[in-house]
Amino acid sequence: EVMGWWRQVRPLLGNPVFALRYERVVAGFEAETRALLGFLGLGWVEAVRGFHRGAAGRYIASPSRRQVAQPLYAGSVARWRRFAGEFAPVEAVLAPLVEAFGYPPA
């Protein structure tokens, strides 16, 4: 329901929205990050490559604090497939969203 709502409200926002896909960032970090920074009106800085180093040794109030201090990794890409059986009962409901967001069908 939330994703369906997002698809309806996004065109009405009147503000540009940058869709960042984790899979593309992992596959091409610099290109995707440059595109995001360009969207924000910012330029590339070499320190962006080491984003995770800035978090090391700092207190981060997040359950994912260990991940914040690591480089990106591809281990989470398509991790949902492990749970494909659990998604089966709602596959018909999810299918239009999977297609709308450009993901391959299950």
Side-chain angles (χ1 to χ4, degrees):
E1 287 183 14
V2 170
M3 297 312 291
W5 171 83
W6 173 246
R7 288 183 61 212
Q8 289 178 0
V9 77
R10 181 178 173 179
L12 306 174
L13 292 176
N15 294 323
V17 174
F18 187 88
L20 185 70
R21 290 181 61 156
Y22 184 76
E23 299 90 345
R24 287 198 307 239
V25 175
V26 169
F29 177 79
E30 185 172 335
E32 290 299 311
T33 305
R34 282 181 184 271
L36 172 61
L37 291 171
F39 175 81
L40 296 171
L42 302 170
W44 175 263
V45 233
E46 199 55 37
V48 171
R49 274 187 224 281
F51 69 90
H52 58 285
R53 289 185 207 105
R58 290 181 160 176
Y59 174 74
I60 298 169
S62 167
S64 61
R65 62 183 161 267
R66 282 188 222 138
Q67 292 173 320
V68 173
Q70 294 177 1
L72 290 182
Y73 55 91
S76 295
V77 173
R79 184 176 277 173
W80 69 270
R81 291 188 189 279
R82 293 182 190 174
F83 307 99
E86 284 81 3
F87 285 115
V90 293
E91 188 173 342
V93 174
L94 296 175
L97 296 170
V98 168
E99 182 180 344
F101 289 103
Y103 288 96

